[in-house]
Amino acid sequence: MKPLIALRRLAWLGMVAFSFASAQNGVAPADASGPEVAHSLERALIDSMKAGESLSFQQRYARLEPVIVRSLDVARMARFIFGSKWREFTAEEQDGFLEAFTTLSVSTYAARFDEHKGERFDPVSETGQGDDRMLIRSRFTKGSGDTVVFDYMLMRADGQWRVVNILTDGISDLALKRSQYGALHGKGGMEAVLASIDRQIQRLHER
């Protein structure tokens, strides 16, 4: 099986079965609070960095995948990226995007959080925005001492808190993807979007 296909299958299986992951793997339980969801993701990323070269890319991917699938509301992210067009897609197109986007998300974290030089996350603030919305702010300190502010926007649906957007120093990667994928879809449909995501995944895998 090609590495790219294997990663996408792994992410998709995790996406539909994340509730069976054990707490021993660092996955926040179904009744976790918003801060617990955000900080469990941070702990998983730091643990991945500390493992360093003892883990291959595939092993980091497998370790991070259940935590990221539990933490991120990929379906809501997809609806934000495509807006009203999302409802016009076929079920096959929607499933294909959710599978690919989940794989890209896990692959990005697995590729970037692979070495530890004293990095850490420190909580800054928690701001409730009604009963079902919350903003969690953390400060990520790099090994160099430089810092990056992480803002996690969370929503609660069906009793579970999930991250719907992450801003780093005020920049929303999701907003950038909305522009990028919207342009790609306008030119070549979902096929063009998925082809672009697959290329991104492959580059991350080859780093």
Side-chain angles (χ1 to χ4, degrees):
M1 183 181 296
K2 294 181 179 180
L4 181 58
I5 296 174
L7 287 175
R8 288 183 62 172
R9 286 188 179 178
L10 179 59
W12 186 242
L13 288 172
M15 190 171 180
V16 298
F18 71 86
S19 61
F20 294 100
S22 70
Q24 293 178 342
N25 289 330
V27 180
D31 60 350
S33 67
E36 287 173 335
V37 171
H39 297 322
S40 68
L41 173 59
E42 293 175 343
R43 287 192 297 271
L45 296 177
I46 293 298
D47 287 346
S48 175
M49 297 172 78
K50 288 182 177 179
E53 294 182 357
S54 67
L55 296 179
S56 66
F57 176 88
Q58 290 88 345
Q59 289 171 325
R60 284 197 306 277
Y61 185 103
R63 179 178 290 192
L64 288 171
E65 183 267 342
V67 181
I68 293 171
V69 167
R70 165 63 182 95
S71 302
L72 305 185
D73 191 336
V74 176
R76 195 176 293 274
M77 290 178 169
R79 292 195 293 273
F80 171 82
I81 289 172
F82 291 105
S84 60
K85 285 188 176 67
W86 180 253
R87 295 191 299 271
E88 301 172 6
F89 297 157
T90 66
E92 182 179 2
E93 288 176 323
Q94 291 181 353
D95 289 347
F97 179 79
L98 293 174
E99 176 185 354
F101 191 72
T102 299
T103 306
L104 175 62
S105 299
V106 181
S107 297
T108 299
Y109 284 117
R112 293 180 179 175
F113 290 83
D114 62 345
E115 184 180 22
H116 191 256
K117 296 182 179 179
E119 291 85 353
R120 71 180 190 274
F121 282 98
D122 295 305
V124 175
S125 62
E126 303 171 7
T127 306
Q129 300 176 336
D131 293 336
D132 297 318
R133 294 176 183 266
M134 180 176 290
L135 177 65
I136 307 296
R137 172 167 289 185
S138 291
R139 182 178 293 108
F140 178 69
T141 302
K142 302 179 182 180
S144 64
D146 294 336
T147 60
V148 179
V149 173
F150 277 66
D151 286 317
Y152 304 92
M153 300 176 64
L154 295 97
M155 293 185 65
R156 181 167 56 186
D158 299 325
Q160 293 193 22
W161 286 99
R162 310 284 291 281
V163 176
V164 297
N165 198 3
I166 301 175
L167 287 74
T168 54
D169 282 343
I171 298 174
S172 168
D173 182 63
L174 203 60
L176 297 176
K177 285 182 168 57
R178 180 184 175 106
S179 176
Q180 176 189 0
Y181 295 164
L184 284 168
H185 187 269
K187 294 178 179 179
M190 185 58 74
E191 183 177 351
V193 175
L194 296 182
S196 176
I197 292 176
D198 279 350
R199 288 193 295 271
Q200 289 179 275
I201 294 170
Q202 192 66 51
R203 287 195 294 269
L204 290 167
H205 177 79
E206 294 171 349
R207 283 182 53 172

